[in-house]
């Protein structure tokens, strides 16, 4: 069986991190390791993670020397991982029990290196918000598709084949680092293939950046210009696609 390295950044996640762990343990694919890097939480998140690691040897816990952001935390965990595949789950999201098994079978049977799944939104109390994302009728997205945000590619839905990429580190920006990584990987010529089944639950919190459209738009522009270094006219073109989809996507 292929080993899956599950990557999670944590910061003041005491209310949800145990739920994340349970959703991983409830997977019907059991050959995994969970690598969590805590970003100097001020609550008991790190203490709880240490307790979990003492009970379960598959749980590997690390801590940043100073608060550095999710990109640094994820990159630290990735650098210490041993898996054939890399999967991501954030510290407040959840997986359905067949997520890992279905995704790794999908990738191995089709020889795909990059995949993602549809997901549904939940609130802070795990109540469904009756909204599903990335369930549209597409087979895959390319680099140019992703520049135009043809799909969202929720971080907690993505799985990567490690040997397919030379560098899986995220760009060191405070927000949108996962989107920056998807672009970097897709730029190599691979495509990201969609499993249209809902296999992930993405939690929307009151202070989530997902609620702040202005911050998201600024982040998008920053990635176009500073990370991807697109020419001005190309950035404007892609931003118009992004804005249109942000407004009209179902």
């Amino acid at each position: 069986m292929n080993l899956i390295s599950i990557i999670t950044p944590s910061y003041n996640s005491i209310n949800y991190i145990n739920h994340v762990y349970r959703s991983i343990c409830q997977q019907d694919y059991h050959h995994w390791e969970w690598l969590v890097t805590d970003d100097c939480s001020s609550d008991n998140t790190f203490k709880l993670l240490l307790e979990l690691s003492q009970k379960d040897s598959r749980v590997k816990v690390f801590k940043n020397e100073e608060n550095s952001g999710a990109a640094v935390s994820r990159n630290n965990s990735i650098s210490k991982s041993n898996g054939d595949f890399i999967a991501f789950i954030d510290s407040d999201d959840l997986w359905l029990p067949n997520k890992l098994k279905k995704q790794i079978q999908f990738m191995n049977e089709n020889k795909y290196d990059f995949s993602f799944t549809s997901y549904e939104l939940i609130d802070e109390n795990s109540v469904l918000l009756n909204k599903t994302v990335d369930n549209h009728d597409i087979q895959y997205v390319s680099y140019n598709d992703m520049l135009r945000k043809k799909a969202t590619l929720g971080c907690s839905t993505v799985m990567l084949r490690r040997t397919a990429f030379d560098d899986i580190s995220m760009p060191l920006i405070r927000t949108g680092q996962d989107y920056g990584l998807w672009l970097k990987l897709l730029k190599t010529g691979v495509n990201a293939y969609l499993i249209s089944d809902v296999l992930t639950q993405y939690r929307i919190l009151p202070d989530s950046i997902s609620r702040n459209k202005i911050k998201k738009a600024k982040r998008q522009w920053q990635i176009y210009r500073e990370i991807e270094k697109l020419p001005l006219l190309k950035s404007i073109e892609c931003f118009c696609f992004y804005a249109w989809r942000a407004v009209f996507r179902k």
Side-chain angles (χ1 to χ4, degrees):
M1 296 178 70
N2 294 116
L3 176 66
I4 302 175
S5 295
I6 303 166
I7 307 299
T8 300
S10 67
Y11 177 71
N12 289 350
S13 307
I14 192 65
N15 292 332
Y16 301 110
I17 198 70
N18 208 34
H19 297 285
V20 178
Y21 173 65
R22 286 206 299 266
S23 88
I24 295 172
C25 289
Q26 290 168 358
Q27 293 296 302
D28 50 16
Y29 188 95
H30 305 292
H31 194 40
W32 51 261
E33 59 176 2
W34 186 35
L35 301 99
V36 189
T37 296
D38 186 72
D39 198 20
C40 301
S41 292
S42 58
D43 61 11
N44 288 321
T45 300
F46 186 64
K47 179 183 177 182
L48 175 58
L49 288 167
L50 288 177
E51 291 172 356
L52 292 175
S53 69
Q54 290 165 4
K55 297 175 184 177
D56 188 340
S57 62
R58 299 172 297 178
V59 179
K60 301 174 182 180
V61 180
F62 313 96
K63 187 173 185 178
N64 292 334
E65 293 184 1
E66 59 183 14
N67 182 267
S68 305
V72 171
S73 300
R74 290 192 184 105
N75 289 346
N76 180 67
S77 291
I78 291 170
S79 71
K80 293 175 169 62
S81 64
N82 300 295
D84 306 298
F85 289 81
I86 301 290
F88 299 90
I89 186 169
D90 284 345
S91 59
D92 52 5
D93 293 341
L94 301 172
W95 283 341
L96 275 65
N98 60 338
K99 194 264 188 188
L100 290 181
K101 184 176 182 180
K102 188 158 194 172
Q103 195 163 15
I104 201 168
Q105 286 180 341
F106 174 75
M107 294 179 71
N108 279 334
E109 288 172 1
N110 295 286
K111 296 182 171 57
Y112 294 151
D113 297 322
F114 186 161
S115 72
F116 65 108
T117 81
S118 298
Y119 63 94
E120 57 192 1
L121 303 186
I122 57 176
D123 68 10
E124 61 266 36
N125 299 310
S126 299
V127 176
L128 289 173
L129 296 176
N130 298 317
K131 182 173 177 59
T132 302
V133 182
D134 284 348
N135 62 332
H136 39 293
D137 187 23
I138 59 172
Q139 182 185 2
Y140 63 85
V141 292
S142 65
Y143 173 70
N144 283 318
D145 292 333
M146 202 62 206
L147 283 176
R148 294 163 173 80
K149 292 292 283 186
K150 188 174 179 179
T152 302
L153 266 75
C155 188
S156 296
T157 78
V158 167
M159 185 180 289
L160 306 170
R161 189 185 305 273
R162 179 193 289 275
T163 56
F165 306 102
D166 294 328
D167 180 13
I168 305 180
S169 62
M170 292 194 169
L172 298 181
I173 51 180
R174 278 285 181 168
T175 62
Q177 61 278 148
D178 50 345
Y179 177 61
L181 175 59
W182 312 153
L183 289 173
K184 180 171 75 171
L185 301 180
L186 293 170
K187 205 171 186 177
T188 67
V190 304
N191 296 318
Y193 290 86
L194 171 65
I195 300 176
S196 57
D197 297 340
V198 173
L199 300 175
T200 305
Q201 293 182 325
Y202 179 85
R203 194 181 304 275
I204 300 292
L205 299 175
D207 59 348
S208 170
I209 192 172
S210 300
R211 293 281 182 92
N212 192 317
K213 303 300 184 184
I214 294 176
K215 283 186 178 180
K216 286 185 70 176
K218 287 181 177 178
R219 178 196 70 186
Q220 192 75 15
W221 184 256
Q222 177 193 15
I223 290 173
Y224 287 152
R225 297 292 285 157
E226 298 178 19
I227 304 298
E228 293 303 300
K229 301 187 184 305
L230 299 181
L232 179 60
L233 289 179
K234 179 75 169 180
S235 298
I236 293 171
E237 175 199 341
C238 292
F239 189 83
C240 289
F241 277 99
Y242 157 78
W244 187 88
R245 290 190 164 104
V247 172
F248 294 106
R249 177 180 285 151
K250 295 181 180 180

